[in-house]
Structure formats: structure tokens, C-alpha cells
Amino acid sequence: MLATLKRLIAKTRSAFSSTASDFDFEEELQSHIAMLEEENVRRGMSCEEARRAALLKIGGLAQLRESHRETRGLPQFDSFLRDIRYALRALRKHAGFTTIAVITLAIGIGVNTATFTAWNAVALRPIQAPEPKRLVQLTRTTRDQMFSYPDYAYYRDNNRTFSGLVAINFQGLSLSGVTTGPSPATGGIVGAAGFQFPHLLAGTSEVLAATISGNYFKVLGVNAILGRTFLPEEDGPGGPAAVMVSYNFWEKQFARNPSVLTRNLTLNGVGVAVVGITPPDFLGTSPTVPDFWVPFALQSRLASEENALHDRNSICCRVFGRLKGGVSQVQAEANLNALRGNLQVAFPETKQRPGRQAGSFVVVQASPFGPTDSGTTAVAILILAAVSLVLLIACANVASLLLARSAARQREIAIRLAIGASRRRLIRQLLTESGVIGLVAGAAGVVFSWWALRFLMLQIAPSIPFGNLALHLAPDRRVLAYMLFLSIGATFLFGLAPALEASKPNLSSALKDDGAAFGGRLRKSRLRDLMVGTQVAVCFILLIAAGLLARASQRALEVDLGFNYHNIVMLNIFSPSGTSAAVKAARSRLAQQFGSLPEIESVAGASRVPLAGGIRAVGVVPNGGDPNDPGAGTSLFNLVTPNYFQTMGIRILRGRAFNAQEVREDMNFDGSPVVVSEATARKFWPGQNPLGRRLSLGPGGDSIRFSGEVYPHSVSSLVVGIAKDVRSVGLDAVDDTCIYLPSDYSGGSLLIRARTDEAKTVASVQRVLAANHTGLEAIVGDSRTAFSNQTGFVLSRVGAIGSTIIGILGLLMASVGIYGTVGFAVAQRTQEIGIRMAMGAQRAQVLRLILYETMRPVAMGLMGGIAGSVIVSTLLRKLLFGLSPLDPATFLSVLLFLAAVALFAGYLPTKNATRTDPMVALRYE
Amino acid sequence: MAESKSDILQGTLDLMVLKTLDAMGPVHGYGIARRIEQIGEDALQVNQGTIYLCLIRLVQKGWISATWGTSDNNRKAKYYAITRAGRKQLRSEAKNWRRVADVMGRFLQLESKR
């Protein structure tokens, strides 16, 4: 056993020092022969005889040397090393071929690795805490992930399956005495791609705070890198006002000065003490690094919403937990569902949304980026499929390059076969060459993907208005393993077929050197045709996807929203420390001041800005009646100033809008006039005239409410107008309900219609704000910001950009591939072309003949591409904003474009071939 | 001519080399070959080159060691010596071999009595 091991070690060592020990052995043999010779001479032989006898005695020297090498070293490994050395030499000799093959594959592998790195950084990233496998998120079958604080506390205190449950939510807070400077308007390639995020006006100090339960860090098992985490009393009523600061904010704002722990900061006008700093890039259970970590008890004081923590009807937080050791997710679900039953019995008056009540618990593995649902996975698979196609093109490309090369190496290979190399040995040699290309390309691909992702991050990061992006995009072990898998997989994909093809024993014809004449080309053309066809088909699919998505995202901008968003500036005014009454007063005053500016046409107020999220719904009891009826219907609502419809360009189809006398200042709308959308009228009074009907508003139905907010309430409001349907929730469909209620400017955001361009208006708004010295702060956004938040628009725009890049890469590769393949095929047939020309064929005839043969696989590829595209574009249907998946304009233009590129790629080398003098062509080779 | 000589059984050459070195002390490859031929009295067909392969194998296994030296008639040669592990191996191999030979001998006797 020991001896075997020793022998293996010795063999391995000697495999690396072959020449020295070969020399040693040779010397020993020579000495042996000399001794034999001497003895033979002593015995009386002649010198020649003595030498001959000696050589006979020792046996065949050549065989001996060969078996010596086998005994001494590792013959398999040795020949592998030799293969690699030979491959490197061969590749270096054909530097042009090698460079093209490596670059092509590196792009293919790089794009794939980049995608995987992103997926790895997002979906596969565990929570940054000890034993992340035991950390779970509490969700419900209704996909509802938000809980009310009292519900959370009940589950936290009564479950038997978790060692701890934590709650988290996010809030913007105002930090006094520190100026963060304006967040920049979206620029770089993000802006160029058509995105715009809302940004803060200069002089503001809005910070992002994660509101957490006091046990958050204890349960996660994460310590502060400086100072400490929260004490239990700091999340209790009347406890000390303590906050933690994230490392990222500490670095950005306080230059990592540890004295921040002794300082008092003022958040929303309340003095707080910093007790600790969280680790760098610590995300906790959320996708972004907040600036501050604030306990719920303190947050309710900062926001003057002391009641929020006791209201079972207002949802406020996501809940995560650490499973006790040995407890499965299923056991935890059973435990939670039992508690949910208790809760429903204990608080029957809780008017939770029916949907929420029906949802039983689903406990999922916690991830900073939320549970990956089927939708995300589908998108990821689609992207992965697209980039795999690029790699496929790259492989096809390199395979046809290799085919071309192997045709050129035919004689070399034939000689090797003739002198006795086995076919397996040859295939191994050829695959080693491919493997070297694959691995070098893989390494280059990782570097390329890392660089590309960094570039993208640097472009995107400054455009994120709040929080800090902390993606870990450096290649880790998983990424490297994936790259290795791709490289080796690709090696077989592009290397195997040419190796099999090249090593086919066909000695006589290859040695006779007629491989390039009439018959020879036919043999190889089928595989090459397949390569060309595949490339064209894949390219077609990618370009169709790119074309459809680009057209769709353009269409999203042009879709009829029901209102006119051009030249609308949205302004959110809030007070860092003042009371809400002061903000209300300031809003009305500012609205008047803005209205008097010459460049502003009108200023409207609304509780909810279209396409800006913040969806709220109330229970609706049609035809009057008890507003508290739990069985009520539900409708979205918007509290608007009378000039809202005119400012936003929403047409009143029947009846009238509000007038100034009808405005209510509180949330009581008893007997007040309301305007409903067409869809709302259809929903509550199908087929009837809604004008003059009455309705009551209350907390019933599926109403959507948030903590700390007051909701409209009314008995017997009167419908006075029907407004045109708008798309204010999403771009894909008109809102299914909306009730407009008359209000003043206290409601929420200001919507400013500019006469001229938006940028100028933003500047004057900022001037007015600064001149007022109100201490108010504002978030501003123009019409583009509204679209930038729309999932549909983002998906189709990002998809269009992504698939355009991928498609262009694919197209470039495919056209280079076609050019190369056709060029090589034509070069091989130079002799034939010469003969044809010498026999009197016209140049045009030859050109047509060859182009026809070249274009046949292209045509097949296009046909396959059309079939594939139909499938892919049907999958994309949801993102197309009503564009037909078989949009003829896109299909036709891609078809013509691709055919033209292929024709050109084939024409160039063919033209050159027909230019050659027949005599030269005949003498070719 | 070749019919009268037996080919060396796989593994027996190792044993012969080890025993030679055990008996003679450090000696070069040529000396080992001579010794084996002498003892075999031309009954064995030894391809002298293969002895070197055997020597390499034994060195790799750590049973013998090799150093360059000078032969009696002033020629550079590699001298081989048995190691302690080699002696141990030799003892167990020899025992093994005797047992096999013993069994074979009895077996063949049995046949002749029939």
C-alpha cells in the first residue's frame, strides 16, 4: 500500500523531470553496454562482434526506452501534457484563428457568466447572518406579505416554532443639521435608455430608515461593528431614542468618524442617539442598505403616529423569523395557521380584507431580494435562454472555424493516421486543442463579465434616489464553477463534431491531395450548412425579440393614458419636523404662488398621482346605505382639487366637475358630490345612468389601508359627473375603478402644468421654495418619472435594450461566421471555379451558382428562425402592450435585414474568387 | 533454443534482484544481471534491459536506493543497495514464494504417484 503510494509520487515527480531522468537512464544503459562489450572482448571476440553481442543481450533499445518512460512516469498524464504543449504550439502558430475563436467564445461565455453573476448576486444571495438557512419570511397564499403590528406581536409572542420573529418596514426621515445635497437627476446610460427617477431638490436631507423591531439584530445574530445593537427597552413605549447607522451612510456622511456614537442627531425634529454601526453593505432582509435603523416604537414617535402600533387594520411591516433547530418550514406553517385561527376568533371585529383572511401561511426561505416567485424565475429563464443562444452562436461559429481548419489540416491528420495513431488518440488531441481554447475563453469571459457588470453598476448606482446599492458582483466560487462548466460544455459543443469529422479515416483521398477539388467539398458541407443554418435561426429569434420589445416599449410611451402627462411636474412637499397642519397650510400657499408664475398654466392637488403607486381603496356601498357594511364593494379613490380634471386633461364625459364651494377640508364627505370613472359607473350601476345616484364610503370591502393615514368616510354622496377612464395604476389596462372626491391642496402632491418645458419649471419651483424659507423639502419628478416606475414599461424597455445588445452581438458573430464559412468554402473551390471559368462560364453564372449554394442553409435557418420566433414572441405577449406577437412589420424587417447581411457576407468572398485569373486558380495549391 | 529456457515469471525478477542485493551488498545493474545469469545457469532467458525497468520500479517503491559510483575498471555506473523496507519486503516475498513452491512441489508429487 505504502509502496504503491510511494511509487505514484515518484512517477508523478518524474513526469515533470522527464529529460533529466531520460538522460540518466541512457547513461546507465551505455555503461552497461560498455561493460558487456569489455567482457566479450575478454572472451576473445572482435570489437564489432563484441558490440553486436552486447546489443543483442540487452534487447531492443528503442522498446526499452519506450517502456522505461512508461515505467518511470505517468504515460496517460504525460501524453496529456504533450497534447497540451502541442495544442499551445499549434494555437500560437495560428494566432489569427486562435484570437478570433477565443474572442468569439469569450463574448458568449462572458454574457452568460454576467447573467449568472447577477442572478447569483440577487436570487442566490443568502441573508448576511449566521445560519441563513434557518431564516425565513412569513408570506401568505394570497401573496400578501404585509402584517399589522399587533398581529406581528401576537405571532411573535405565541408561536412555538421560531426562536424569534422580526418585523421591518421602510420610511423616509429628515435628518436635521446635515445636508446631503441634491440627488442627481438620472443620467448616464440609464437616462439615455429613457428612464428617469424622482429626485430630491437641493438642500434637502431626506434619509432612508429601516424601521425594525427591537429584536431584529439579536434574532439575525448580527453584531454592530462599532457600538452595539438595540436593547429591549429601546423598542418600548417611552424608551430612550436610539438609532443605528449603516456603515455605508457612516462612510458617506460622517467619513467613518467614530465620534458619531457620542453625537446627538435630530431626526424629524426629535433628538436621537446613535448607539451602533451595522457592518459594511449589510442588507438585513431587504434589497437595499438603509441609512438608519430605527425601532418601531421610536418611528411611531418620529412620525407622530403613536396609534399605528395598536391598529390591527393598518398594515405596517414584513415579518421574518429564525426557525428553531429541527423545525421544518411545514411545521412552522401549521403552527402559524393555528395562531391565525385564534386571532380570527379573538378579534372578529377586525375587518381584514377577505383575501387576506383566506390566505394561509407560506413560510419561505428568506432572501434580501424577496421570495423568488414564478414570474421572476420565468424572466430569469427567458434571459438565460437568450444568452445561451448567444453562446450557441459562438459555438457554431468556432465549430465552423475548426471545420475549416481541419480541412486545411487534412494532410497532417492523414499522415498521423497513416503512421498508426488511433482515431481515439487523434480525437483526444483535437479536443485538447478545443479545450485549451475553451478555457482561455472562459477566463477571458469572466474578466469581461466582471468588467461589464461593474460598468453597469457604476452607471446605475447614482440613479437610485434612496438607500445604497450593495450588490456583490465579484466572481465567487459558484460563478467560477459555472464558467468552468460552460467552458467545458462549450468545448464539447464546438469541438466534438469537427474532431469526429476531421479524424475520419480517409487516407487515400487526403494524401492524394484532391480533397479540395470537386468531390471533397461535398462531404463536409452538410455539417457546415448546419452551423450556418443554426446561427441564422438563433440570430433571427434574438432580433425578433429585440425588435418586438423595442417597438412595444415605444408603444408604452404612446399609449392613451386618458390624461395628458406632457409638461406635468409632480411635486411632493413634506416637512422635516413641522406638524402636518403647517405642511397643509404651506401647500395651499405654495400652490397659489406657483399658479401666479407666468410659465405655469395651472396647479392641481391630488392625494394620489397617477402612475406613481400609492394605491388606496375604500369600501363603497352603492345607492347610499350603511358605510360600515362589511360586504361593500371596493373602489380606488383620489382626493382632488376642482381644477384637477382640467390640469390633467381628463375629460368629463357627462355631468360636471367640482366647483370651489364643494371642497371639503376633512375626510367627511357626507352628502358631498363625487365624480366617478366610466368603469366605476359600469361596475356599480351596470346599464344604468349613474348621474344623480348616491353612494356611501367606508372601511368595508377589500379596502386597502395603511397605518397613520386617515381615510374618506361618507354617507350618501351624490354622483355629479362621469370622468373618462384613465390608466393610473398600470400602463397595461385602464383602472377598473376610481372615485374622485373634492378636496383642497392639503391632500398630497401638487401637479403643475407647465406652459413651456419641464426643466425650466422645475427651476422656478425650486426658486420659489428657496425664497419661502419654509423649511419644507420637496421631491420633484417630471412626466418621464411616472413611466420609469411602471413594471410593464421597465420590463419591455430593459428587455428591448438587453435583447438588442444580445441580438447585435449574435448578428455580428453570425455574419462573421457566415463570411468565414463561405469564404473558406469558396477558397476550397478556387480550382473548380478556375476550371468553370476556363471552360467559358460567365462570372455572373459562377457567382449565382455559388451564392445559390451558400444561401440554401441561410434560407433554411431563416425558416427555422421564424418558427422559433413565433414561440418566443408568444411567450413575450404580456410585455407587448397589445402589439401582435406576429407583428408583420417586425418580422418582415428582421427577415429582410438578416437575408441582406447573409447575402453580403456570402457575396464578398465569392466575388473575389470569381475575379481570379483562371490560370492562377488552376495552379492553386 | 528459446524453448529450453523459461521466461521469468512476473514478479520473480523483483525477488531475484532484491535477494541479489541482499546477498552482495551495493552493486551496479551489470553486476546484478551477471549474478542472475550465473545462478540461473543459462536456464533463464533474461533480457538484460528489463532488469533496469525492474530496478526503476523498485526504486520508486522505496525498496532499493541508487547512487552513482565508479566500477572496478573505472567506469561510471549506478550502484543499487537494498533498503530496510526492501529487506522486509524480501522476507515476506521469500516466505510467500517458498510456500507456493512447496505447494507446487507437493502437487506435482501427487501427480507422479498415480
Side-chain angles (χ1 to χ4, degrees):
Chain A
M1 194 58 221
L2 189 68
T4 321
L5 189 71
K6 267 188 184 165
R7 180 147 190 241
L8 189 71
I9 294 168
K11 270 172 168 266
T12 316
R13 192 180 308 143
S14 113
F16 287 99
S17 56
S18 48
T19 42
S21 51
D22 278 350
F23 182 74
D24 229 32
F25 183 69
E26 198 58 39
E27 205 172 352
E28 206 177 353
L29 278 185
Q30 290 311 325
S31 141
H32 186 103
I33 292 165
M35 288 189 204
L36 268 175
E37 241 181 289
E38 269 167 36
E39 175 155 342
N40 288 345
V41 169
R42 265 203 307 276
R43 283 184 187 169
M45 291 188 196
S46 73
C47 278
E48 279 140 56
E49 243 179 318
R51 176 146 190 99
R52 210 181 87 82
L55 286 177
L56 266 178
K57 191 90 185 172
I58 202 158
L61 274 180
Q63 284 103 305
L64 200 58
R65 283 188 198 112
E66 181 70 16
S67 36
H68 161 250
R69 247 175 262 129
E70 264 166 38
T71 317
R72 165 182 52 79
L74 301 166
Q76 288 286 319
F77 180 70
D78 227 33
S79 72
F80 176 65
L81 278 186
R82 235 186 351 253
D83 276 359
I84 287 189
R85 238 173 282 141
Y86 181 81
L88 285 175
R89 207 158 1 117
L91 293 177
R92 209 166 34 215
K93 216 172 114 194
H94 298 273
F97 159 80
T98 311
T99 315
I100 291 174
V102 165
I103 289 178
T104 310
L105 273 180
I107 291 173
I109 294 176
V111 172
N112 275 274
T113 311
T115 313
F116 182 78
T117 309
W119 172 252
N120 184 37
V122 175
L124 301 182
R125 181 168 179 181
I127 304 271
Q128 205 177 330
E131 292 190 70
K133 288 258 179 294
R134 275 168 56 206
L135 289 172
V136 293
Q137 182 174 4
L138 272 53
T139 65
R140 299 183 175 102
T141 46
T142 41
R143 285 182 159 216
D144 191 358
Q145 295 167 9
M146 300 290 276
F147 289 72
S148 77
Y149 196 84
D151 280 2
Y152 152 69
Y154 179 77
Y155 291 119
R156 177 191 63 198
D157 298 336
N158 293 288
N159 78 77
R160 284 173 291 101
T161 43
F162 292 92
S163 56
L165 280 183
V166 299
I168 182 166
N169 198 13
F170 280 88
Q171 242 91 39
L173 291 178
S174 173
L175 177 65
S176 310
V178 175
T179 309
T180 56
S183 63
T186 317
I189 53 169
V190 181
F195 293 107
Q196 183 71 53
F197 298 107
H199 54 281
L200 287 163
L201 288 178
T204 55
S205 52
E206 173 96 349
V207 291
L208 182 72
T211 313
I212 51 171
S213 53
N215 61 352
Y216 190 80
F217 292 99
K218 294 273 182 301
V219 170
L220 258 58
V222 171
N223 286 320
I225 56 157
L226 199 68
R228 58 169 175 83
T229 58
F230 293 112
L231 302 173
E233 64 265 27
E234 282 163 350
D235 190 23
V243 298
M244 288 178 73
V245 174
S246 74
Y247 179 92
N248 304 46
F249 189 69
W250 184 45
E251 185 175 44
K252 191 167 69 182
Q253 198 65 45
F254 302 108
R256 283 190 284 164
N257 186 346
S259 74
V260 74
L261 288 182
T262 59
R263 264 173 70 181
N264 264 324
L265 299 176
T266 308
L267 283 174
N268 276 18
V270 177
V272 298
V274 179
V275 298
I277 313 281
T278 54
D281 286 350
F282 179 71
L283 295 172
T285 51
S286 323
T288 179
V289 181
D291 301 322
F292 281 90
W293 302 83
V294 180
F296 267 104
L298 177 59
Q299 168 64 29
S300 64
R301 243 160 79 201
L302 298 182
S304 319
E305 295 165 358
E306 313 271 355
N307 288 330
L309 297 186
H310 306 289
D311 185 358
R312 245 171 238 285
N313 280 328
S314 26
I315 51 184
C316 78
C317 50
R318 286 167 210 282
V319 177
F320 295 83
R322 184 179 281 283
L323 289 172
K324 280 182 182 164
V327 172
S328 71
Q329 298 184 357
V330 178
Q331 284 168 315
E333 282 168 10
N335 183 211
L336 290 170
N337 284 329
L339 292 178
R340 184 178 60 112
N342 296 348
L343 210 55
Q344 279 165 358
V345 174
F347 302 98
E349 79 277 15
T350 307
K351 289 195 189 61
Q352 293 180 319
R353 290 200 283 147
R356 203 180 309 154
Q357 275 177 349
S360 47
F361 276 97
V362 182
V363 172
V364 296
Q365 180 75 50
S367 152
F369 294 87
T372 37
D373 56 8
S374 54
T376 337
T377 316
V379 169
I381 287 175
L382 217 63
I383 295 172
L384 228 56
V387 292
S388 310
L389 290 183
V390 173
L391 185 57
L392 196 67
I393 295 185
C395 283
N397 221 335
V398 176
S400 42
L401 279 176
L402 278 176
L403 270 181
R405 253 198 92 204
S406 71
R409 291 169 75 175
Q410 232 168 24
R411 227 167 316 162
E412 172 203 336
I413 287 165
I415 290 170
R416 283 157 160 268
L417 283 169
I419 61 174
S422 70
R423 186 167 180 216
R424 261 179 66 179
R425 188 73 191 72
L426 259 185
I427 290 176
R428 214 173 75 194
Q429 160 69 41
L430 292 172
L431 272 182
T432 308
E433 267 177 47
S434 304
V436 169
I437 295 179
L439 284 180
V440 170
V446 165
V447 174
F448 166 75
S449 73
W450 184 71
W451 174 83
L453 283 173
R454 253 185 70 84
F455 174 76
L456 262 181
M457 286 311 297
L458 289 178
Q459 290 286 329
I460 292 171
S463 306
I464 306 292
F466 300 114
N468 309 282
L469 214 55
L471 286 175
H472 291 165
L473 291 174
D476 60 2
R477 234 178 312 160
R478 220 166 355 197
V479 170
L480 290 179
Y482 184 74
M483 177 280 283
L484 213 59
F485 163 75
L486 281 185
S487 303
I488 294 171
T491 298
F492 280 98
L493 207 58
F494 72 75
L496 199 56
L500 288 176
E501 184 81 34
S503 60
K504 248 183 214 161
N506 186 10
L507 302 180
S508 58
S509 74
L511 286 176
K512 269 192 287 170
D513 188 27
D514 61 356
F518 288 89
R521 94 199 134 75
L522 286 173
R523 189 165 64 82
K524 287 214 173 48
S525 62
R526 196 172 312 153
L527 191 54
R528 209 155 42 209
D529 282 359
L530 192 69
M531 298 293 166
V532 171
T534 312
Q535 293 190 30
V536 170
V538 169
C539 208
F540 190 87
I541 295 173
L542 287 174
L543 286 178
I544 284 288
L548 282 177
L549 288 172
R551 265 173 61 87
S553 68
Q554 200 53 41
R555 213 176 148 100
L557 291 175
E558 290 156 9
V559 75
D560 180 17
L561 295 168
F563 57 91
N564 177 3
Y565 225 135
H566 294 291
N567 285 342
I568 290 283
V569 173
M570 176 208 81
L571 195 64
N572 259 339
I573 299 171
F574 52 93
S575 157
S577 50
T579 61
S580 46
V583 181
K584 279 182 184 171
R587 274 201 197 110
S588 308
R589 202 176 62 241
L590 285 169
Q592 266 170 7
Q593 289 191 24
F594 294 146
S596 65
L597 291 174
E599 58 267 44
I600 288 173
E601 194 177 297
S602 60
V603 181
S607 64
R608 195 174 87 74
V609 177
L611 293 179
I615 293 159
R616 308 286 187 270
V618 283
V620 178
V621 186
N623 306 320
D626 178 13
N628 292 320
D629 184 356
T634 313
S635 171
L636 303 182
F637 67 91
N638 202 354
L639 280 71
V640 298
T641 54
N643 62 352
Y644 176 79
F645 300 100
Q646 172 230 325
T647 304
M648 295 300 289
I650 298 172
R651 280 199 296 138
I652 299 294
L653 300 173
R654 291 155 76 187
R656 61 175 179 85
F658 307 121
N659 58 49
Q661 288 75 46
E662 289 163 342
V663 166
R664 303 280 175 114
E665 284 178 17
D666 54 8
M667 283 294 177
N668 183 353
F669 291 93
D670 290 349
S672 117
V674 297
V675 170
V676 300
S677 73
E678 298 170 84
T680 318
R682 278 196 301 273
K683 177 176 175 184
F684 291 112
W685 299 280
Q688 301 167 39
N689 180 8
L691 287 184
R693 301 277 178 168
R694 296 202 168 261
L695 54 82
S696 299
L697 303 175
D702 287 346
S703 53
I704 303 173
R705 293 164 171 252
F706 286 82
S707 64
E709 293 181 358
V710 190
Y711 287 85
H713 192 275
S714 101
V715 177
S716 202
S717 297
L718 178 70
V719 177
V720 298
I722 311 291
K724 186 171 157 53
D725 273 332
V726 295
R727 295 171 192 239
S728 80
V729 176
L731 296 173
D732 45 348
V734 294
D735 305 347
D736 52 4
T737 48
C738 187
I739 296 178
Y740 297 96
L741 300 164
S743 176
D744 57 14
Y745 289 99
S746 65
S749 308
L750 296 184
L751 289 158
I752 301 166
R753 172 160 295 285
R755 270 184 224 283
T756 54
D757 67 310
E758 294 172 356
K760 227 166 108 186
T761 311
V762 171
S764 9
V765 164
Q766 196 162 352
R767 261 199 311 280
V768 171
L769 274 176
N772 261 279
H773 298 294
T774 49
L776 295 176
E777 300 184 347
I779 297 176
V780 69
D782 62 16
S783 54
R784 269 203 298 165
T785 57
F787 288 98
S788 296
N789 310 327
Q790 295 304 306
T791 325
F793 172 76
V794 171
L795 281 180
S796 61
R797 188 41 77 94
V798 170
I801 294 167
S803 51
T804 305
I805 294 173
I806 295 172
I808 287 175
L809 277 180
L811 180 70
L812 264 176
M813 284 191 194
S815 36
V816 169
I818 293 171
Y819 178 84
T821 329
V822 174
F824 183 77
V826 171
Q828 264 196 325
R829 296 174 66 178
T830 308
Q831 212 174 358
E832 177 199 338
I833 291 170
I835 292 172
R836 284 184 190 274
M837 304 277 281
M839 304 278 277
Q842 292 301 302
R843 179 171 296 162
Q845 279 175 313
V846 174
L847 205 63
R848 210 177 309 130
L849 172 80
I850 292 183
L851 272 186
Y852 172 74
E853 282 184 28
T854 324
M855 286 302 117
R856 212 173 29 199
V858 171
M860 301 291 269
L862 286 177
M863 238 114 75
I866 290 174
S869 301
V870 170
I871 299 170
V872 169
S873 58
T874 315
L875 286 176
L876 291 175
R877 185 193 292 272
K878 260 194 150 173
L879 300 177
L880 294 184
F881 294 104
L883 192 70
S884 159
L886 304 178
D887 182 47
T890 314
F891 269 75
L892 204 66
S893 50
V894 170
L895 188 72
L896 289 178
F897 177 64
L898 211 52
V901 169
L903 204 63
F904 189 65
Y907 171 73
L908 278 183
T910 316
K911 192 189 71 178
N912 288 338
T914 53
R915 283 263 167 81
T916 43
D917 180 358
M919 282 322 289
V920 175
L922 283 174
R923 271 193 236 112
Y924 184 78
E925 273 203 28
Chain B
M1 153 195 131
E3 286 155 289
S4 61
K5 293 182 179 180
S6 316
D7 279 339
I8 297 180
L9 270 172
Q10 181 71 40
T12 33
L13 189 60
D14 285 15
L15 186 56
M16 288 180 199
V17 170
L18 282 176
K19 185 64 202 171
T20 309
L21 289 176
D22 186 43
M24 294 177 68
V27 70
H28 46 65
Y30 179 70
I32 297 171
R34 282 288 308 272
R35 174 77 173 191
I36 289 175
E37 270 182 3
Q38 280 164 10
I39 293 182
E41 288 173 344
D42 286 348
L44 281 174
Q45 166 80 24
V46 179
N47 203 342
Q48 293 195 349
T50 52
I51 288 177
Y52 285 95
L53 299 180
C54 171
L55 285 170
I56 285 166
R57 209 160 46 230
L58 293 177
V59 168
Q60 282 174 345
K61 287 180 175 171
W63 291 338
I64 60 173
S65 60
T67 42
W68 280 102
T70 329
S71 74
D72 305 338
N73 41 13
N74 243 347
R75 195 172 288 284
K76 203 180 163 205
K78 217 176 199 176
Y79 277 77
Y80 295 90
I82 190 160
T83 64
R84 204 180 320 155
R87 286 220 168 75
K88 213 172 120 192
Q89 175 69 15
L90 172 64
R91 271 197 298 278
S92 75
E93 275 295 300
K95 213 169 107 192
N96 200 21
W97 181 251
R98 279 199 197 98
R99 209 175 48 228
V100 173
D102 200 31
V103 171
M104 281 311 286
R106 270 185 284 164
F107 197 78
L108 293 172
Q109 264 173 4
L110 198 84
E111 200 182 25
S112 63
K113 269 181 189 166
R114 180 178 57 95

